[in-house]
Amino acid sequence: MTKINQNFLKLPGSYLFSEVARRISAYCAGHPDAKIIKLSIGDVTRPLAPAVTAAMHKAVDEMGTFEGFHGYGPEQGYEFLREAVAQHDYQSRGMDVKPEEIFISDGAKSDCGNIGDIFGADNIVAVCDPVYPVYVDTNAMAGRAGEYQEALGRWNRLVYMPCVKENGFTPEPPKEAVDLIYLCFPNNPTGAVATREQLKTWVDYANRTGAVILYDSAYEAFITGADIPHSIFEIEGARTCAIEFRSYSKTAGFTGNRCAYTVVPLELERDGAKLNSLWNRRQCTKFNGVPYVVQRGAAAIYTPEGKEQTRQSIEYYRENAKIIREGLSAAGLSCFGGTDAPYIWLETPGKMGSWEFFDLLLDKANVATTPGAGFGPSGEGYIRLTAFGDAQATKTAVERIQKIL
Ligand code: PLP
């Protein structure tokens, strides 16, 4: 009789976004004229840059010719894109990252989850709380998270690092020994960033203990602060303890196009094995590579026009973030994030519960948000607002919230 992976049965339902959608539909059913503005969406809304679509059109035409046809591509990505990434995202910023350390993929979500394939099931995993749920669920599927404790909303074998107001939503290394550490800066959902000193503490910790840092910088393009690191590899010592995930999803509107990359330094070794070789082996076996046309589109982001057009889109979202942050702060609410990230982490007034405040904003302001409690126990008492919407709708949403407070 076939046995299933029992770990899947331990997963709680993906409650957060389905419950948000359910409450919005229920409200709309009772209020058919309500014009709900969604500050809950985590997807981008601006179209692809013209430089990207032009490069993709050209690549499609190439594919229709004998000379320009591309069949199975290299699983690690085409050299033209790996070289562009190494040069523009790293070497031009003073980091010694080589093309062979870059693995092009179809998403940071896939890579953050799949990276677990190269690590043993008995590693102890540390995650931030609140957290991007993919880190938790993929480790639960692999049997590294133990048992889910319904009443506490947490897994008994994961180490949760509370990210709260008191530590500026940036945790310090835990007291207990951990082997794999997921860090995400700029953070989803809190919008917090880590300073150079904070990241240095983590890198020193990992090098001292032999842990590996899995650094998700999917939102690095939103960083405005001159001193805030965009990459873990800006930190001395990171090449012997860290893997970095990046994505074109939010940087260049690629959520529907699918392209991202992961950097595994050649120096990074554990248990006598080079993690770059293990990841290469994993990708060559299980991953088919990103379509040629999409990779040509991604490479166009690094052209002068592509850079400028992408910058304008990011600027548009940044302006939304500013409107939300300033508008709600002026209304007396405590807002965090939103300066170096597309997320604003809003403390609920009067210690109201996350879901209670969500319902209040939906009902009284017709604004949809995401309750912080859905991202982990330390998210209780917060809601997440996103800057990915239309500028006018974002302004209207802020005015509506101001009015009801
Ligand atoms: N990492 C974080 C922290 C995210 O919030 C998201 C998407 O919301 C992703 C990764 C997913 O990136 P991708 O679209 O490249 O899979």
Side-chain angles (χ1 to χ4, degrees):
M1 170 83 139
T2 305
K3 311 281 187 303
I4 57 151
N5 178 348
Q6 289 288 326
N7 296 314
F8 277 67
L9 301 184
K10 300 178 187 171
L11 292 166
S14 58
Y15 171 73
L16 179 60
F17 292 102
S18 51
E19 181 60 14
V20 165
R22 192 194 65 74
R23 291 193 189 205
I24 296 173
S25 321
Y27 183 83
C28 290
H31 306 80
D33 296 331
K35 299 253 180 306
I36 306 291
I37 299 176
K38 291 188 182 168
L39 295 189
S40 51
I41 42 160
D43 199 357
V44 289
T45 53
R46 316 279 304 153
L48 288 172
V52 169
T53 53
M56 290 178 72
H57 280 298
K58 183 161 171 271
V60 168
D61 288 341
E62 270 180 58
M63 289 288 275
T65 66
F66 279 102
E67 310 75 53
F69 173 72
H70 286 75
Y72 285 128
E75 291 88 352
Q76 305 85 349
Y78 285 101
E79 274 315 300
F80 65 80
L81 183 54
R82 298 175 92 192
E83 275 167 19
V85 170
Q87 190 195 330
H88 293 272
D89 287 345
Y90 293 101
Q91 291 163 5
S92 68
R93 292 168 182 241
M95 286 168 273
D96 175 29
V97 170
K98 299 172 242 339
E100 60 267 36
E101 297 174 321
I102 292 158
F103 295 85
I104 308 298
S105 78
D106 64 353
K109 173 160 108 173
S110 328
D111 287 358
C112 288
N114 294 334
I115 197 75
D117 278 10
I118 68 168
F119 297 110
D122 47 355
N123 283 298
I124 300 292
V125 178
V127 294
C128 290
D129 167 26
V131 63
Y132 174 53
V134 171
Y135 314 146
V136 172
D137 288 4
T138 54
N139 277 290
M141 289 170 181
R144 276 187 284 266
E147 302 300 323
Y148 187 66
Q149 301 165 301
E150 192 83 47
L152 301 175
R154 43 196 290 165
W155 295 81
N156 68 354
R157 214 170 159 269
L158 291 185
V159 172
Y160 289 82
M161 305 182 290
C163 297
V164 289
K165 211 170 28 172
E166 290 68 29
N167 61 11
F169 304 99
T170 306
E172 284 184 1
K175 302 270 176 291
E176 50 276 76
V178 295
D179 306 305
L180 289 171
I181 303 151
Y182 286 83
L183 293 179
C184 171
F185 295 110
N187 189 267
N188 177 14
T190 66
V193 282
T195 62
R196 211 164 284 281
E197 294 68 38
Q198 286 168 324
L199 290 185
K200 179 72 177 136
T201 305
W202 277 107
V203 165
D204 290 348
Y205 169 88
N207 278 325
R208 198 172 59 245
T209 61
V212 171
I213 297 171
L214 302 170
Y215 194 77
D216 185 345
S217 62
Y219 298 98
E220 64 80 28
F222 291 85
I223 293 174
T224 51
D227 296 335
I228 303 295
H230 286 242
S231 163
I232 189 80
F233 299 117
E234 289 181 41
I235 310 300
E236 202 196 326
R239 291 181 58 84
T240 49
C241 69
I243 291 174
E244 178 160 287
F245 306 99
R246 290 236 185 143
S247 170
Y248 298 111
S249 284
K250 312 296 162 86
T251 311
F254 267 54
T255 52
N257 225 15
R258 308 303 325 148
C259 198
Y261 64 85
T262 289
V263 182
V264 190
L266 291 166
E267 290 94 315
L268 181 53
E269 291 184 16
R270 290 294 181 270
D271 259 351
K274 279 193 178 300
L275 300 196
N276 181 291
S277 306
L278 299 190
W279 183 241
N280 187 47
R281 187 75 172 83
R282 191 268 169 212
Q283 290 297 80
C284 289
T285 305
K286 291 196 184 180
F287 182 58
N288 263 317
V290 176
Y292 172 71
V293 174
V294 172
Q295 291 193 55
R296 278 289 177 203
I301 298 167
Y302 297 105
T303 60
E305 318 79 72
K307 276 188 184 170
E308 176 53 23
Q309 292 159 3
T310 308
R311 191 195 61 73
Q312 284 173 14
S313 270
I314 299 274
E315 200 47 53
Y316 181 95
Y317 296 133
R318 276 205 193 116
E319 191 54 33
N320 282 349
K322 185 163 177 261
I323 286 164
I324 299 173
R325 204 182 63 241
E326 290 182 355
L328 298 185
S329 300
L333 293 168
S334 293
C335 293
F336 303 92
T339 47
D340 297 284
Y343 298 116
I344 291 91
W345 193 235
L346 183 69
E347 195 173 10
T348 63
K351 303 217 176 302
M352 207 183 277
S354 292
W355 282 104
E356 196 188 341
F357 194 47
F358 168 91
D359 284 335
L360 180 95
L361 293 179
L362 183 62
D363 183 30
K364 299 280 186 279
N366 286 179
V367 174
T369 58
T370 311
F375 295 99
S378 297
E380 182 53 273
Y382 290 87
I383 56 163
R384 189 194 73 173
L385 305 170
T386 79
F388 288 124
D390 171 77
Q392 188 50 51
T394 302
K395 271 191 202 124
T396 308
V398 169
E399 283 160 14
R400 288 192 197 163
I401 298 176
Q402 284 173 334
K403 247 185 227 148
I404 64 154
L405 286 172

